[in-house]
Amino acid sequence: MKEYNISIIKGDGIGPEIVDEAIKVLDAVSYECNFHLNYKEYLMGGIAYDVTGNPLPQETITGVINSDACLFGAIGGAKWDKLPRDLRPESGLLRFRKELAVFANLRPAVIYDELVNASTLKAEVIEGVDLMVVRELIGGIYFGEPRANDGQTAYNTMVYTKDEIVRIAKVAFDLAMKRSRKLCSVDKANVLEVSQLWRDTVEEIAVDYPEVELSHMYVDNAAMQLVRNPRQFDVILTGNIFGDILSDTASMVVGSIGLLPSASTGEKTAIYEPIHGSAPDIAGQGIANPIATMESAAMMLRYSLGESKAADLIELSIKKALQDGYRTKDLASYDAKHVVTTAEMGEIVANYIHKLK
Ligand code: NAD
């Protein structure tokens, strides 16, 4: 039987609740699909600070690098907001991504037919949306030097090297090949030199992917088009800051933050996590929606472990649970037949996995 080593970081707030339900679902699917997952838990975030005095212990970095993939909950909370910046959970998270060199952030936004009314956009605009934002995660203006603020003048630097653009572009083209072979690269090449290099480099890579239909769009237009007609997109490739903004816009197309997974992949390992935070306002009440974390677990099976059938089975089971009217509290006003707790949603999806196999 195939075995995989999975590092688990539950984190703070609702993190432990949602990760426990994703593990329930992973246990069900690994049983049905005949492979074994060895889990090892590591500390990060506020809880790691409380226990070790460091929001990102070295043991966590080493453990995650040596695992096949990492399933991550969420970190942070008001309790740690007054700490010096470098000891705060969020600083630990940024360092974590940089240390693991996870340069490609994949954020799918897929509409569940059962939840078309949960979005603030009209149903006819969002029906059938199934897109993937590929965002460069560890370069660009968030990391560029020099940077400064002397109280009178402040600046940051948007830098991309050709190599950085090549490696993220390849991820996006490879994904496009597995999807509908349409790729839209988003930049601001009409005013930024760095975007011109981005565009030229993407064009060069495109030569190796003749089956992929490549288009380019300026970021201001892309923001507008995502809301006007999101169905026109399949894979969107973009840099760090543009991707940050566009992926949040894309997430609102779907409706609830509790539904959106993500993968951050790199050369050493990959991290799979919901896009939401630790939701301290609802922690410990059993009302958090675990679906984004279950979807992240499905991405982990598909992209890191090559267990696509198991990933499909998780996604199908979530869809079935929604079709049959099971909703956590955040979605209770959208065609709910049964409002269930976080743990009940885990059991329901796990049961569908056993039934649908
Ligand atoms: P948040 O995403 O935690 O919560 C925003 C709102 O969405 C809240 O009302 C929350 O109750 C709701 N929500 C989030 N996830 C939900 C779920 N699964 N089910 C139902 N409702 C859900 O964002 P925030 O309130 O701005 O931040 C809270 C803490 O999380 C902060 O400390 C922040 O720094 C941290 N944070 C961590 C990450 C991460 O770990 N990757 C990401 C974003 C924010």
Side-chain angles (χ1 to χ4, degrees):
M1 188 187 281
K2 273 195 196 156
E3 286 198 23
Y4 305 100
N5 295 321
I6 307 301
S7 45
I8 300 281
I9 296 176
K10 295 184 178 176
D12 309 315
I14 61 169
E17 301 167 52
I18 52 174
V19 171
D20 283 348
E21 297 322 307
I23 290 177
K24 219 182 254 176
V25 163
L26 281 171
D27 285 343
V29 86
S30 55
Y31 173 83
E32 293 298 348
C33 296
N34 220 17
F35 57 87
H36 185 73
L37 298 174
N38 301 309
Y39 307 111
K40 185 137 199 273
E41 211 177 305
Y42 294 94
L43 293 179
M44 208 189 122
I47 172 107
Y49 174 79
D50 288 350
V51 174
T52 70
N54 179 354
L56 178 62
Q58 184 56 42
E59 193 198 347
T60 299
I61 301 172
T62 313
V64 172
I65 287 177
N66 290 326
S67 67
D68 293 313
C70 173
L71 183 66
F72 187 96
I75 51 89
K79 181 180 169 195
W80 302 283
D81 279 354
K82 296 218 162 49
L83 287 172
R85 192 156 285 280
D86 62 324
L87 291 179
R88 286 174 54 173
E90 292 80 1
S91 306
L93 182 58
L94 285 185
R95 259 200 300 134
F96 185 56
R97 290 174 177 161
K98 191 82 182 164
E99 291 264 2
L100 295 178
V102 283
F103 63 86
N105 182 229
L106 315 185
R107 283 190 177 194
V110 182
I111 298 286
Y112 289 103
D113 298 341
E114 299 72 24
L115 295 175
V116 280
N117 296 321
S119 171
T120 48
L121 298 182
K122 287 187 195 135
E124 65 259 32
V125 173
I126 58 165
E127 261 158 1
V129 165
D130 179 356
L131 61 86
M132 173 82 84
V133 178
V134 178
R135 166 189 170 196
E136 200 290 327
L137 197 59
I138 57 172
I141 197 164
Y142 292 169
F143 291 92
E145 297 288 347
R147 58 199 295 153
N149 176 2
D150 68 7
Q152 295 303 315
T153 308
Y155 52 87
N156 292 87
T157 308
M158 194 166 185
V159 190
Y160 270 115
T161 64
K162 191 159 180 150
D163 287 350
E164 285 173 324
I165 304 168
V166 167
R167 71 178 180 180
I168 189 74
K170 282 185 176 166
V171 170
F173 276 102
D174 285 339
L175 262 172
M177 285 296 290
K178 292 185 193 140
R179 295 172 53 101
S180 70
R181 305 187 174 191
K182 250 177 82 179
L183 174 61
C184 178
S185 175
V186 173
D187 61 38
K188 192 71 184 163
N190 48 346
V191 286
L192 297 175
E193 281 77 4
V194 63
S195 278
Q196 191 60 56
L197 179 66
W198 181 279
R199 189 173 282 219
D200 296 345
T201 307
V202 171
E203 285 283 348
E204 281 173 34
I205 299 298
V207 174
D208 297 333
Y209 297 85
E211 289 160 64
V212 176
E213 181 196 324
L214 171 67
S215 60
H216 300 278
M217 204 178 268
Y218 298 132
V219 63
D220 39 353
N221 185 26
M224 191 262 279
Q225 295 294 339
L226 256 179
V227 179
R228 193 185 71 85
N229 175 17
R231 257 193 312 270
Q232 71 184 286
F233 295 106
D234 185 38
V235 177
I236 296 176
L237 162 66
T238 192
N240 204 345
I241 188 168
F242 299 155
D244 193 1
I245 298 163
L246 290 182
S247 60
D248 270 29
T249 311
S251 74
M252 274 329 290
V253 170
V254 174
S256 169
I257 194 162
L259 296 171
L260 287 147
S262 79
S264 301
T265 71
E267 277 143 20
K268 298 177 186 163
T269 187
I271 310 165
Y272 296 86
E273 58 178 313
I275 73 154
H276 59 73
S278 58
D281 53 331
I282 58 166
Q285 299 174 34
I287 58 173
N289 188 340
I291 289 180
T293 317
M294 294 174 183
E295 294 272 9
S296 305
M299 289 183 85
M300 176 177 87
L301 295 176
R302 181 172 292 121
Y303 295 123
S304 281
L305 311 185
E307 296 286 351
S308 327
K309 265 175 65 184
D312 291 346
L313 188 53
I314 292 182
E315 287 166 355
L316 187 66
S317 302
I318 292 170
K319 201 168 163 43
K320 192 78 183 83
L322 292 172
Q323 252 166 22
D324 289 349
Y326 293 101
R327 308 274 189 273
T328 40
K329 197 177 164 207
D330 51 320
L331 294 170
S333 28
Y334 305 103
D335 305 319
K337 291 198 189 106
H338 324 271
V339 178
V340 297
T341 63
T342 311
E344 284 166 346
M345 188 57 105
E347 274 147 37
I348 289 157
V349 175
N351 284 338
Y352 277 120
I353 287 172
H354 294 306
K355 258 196 238 160
L356 294 171
K357 172 66 180 110

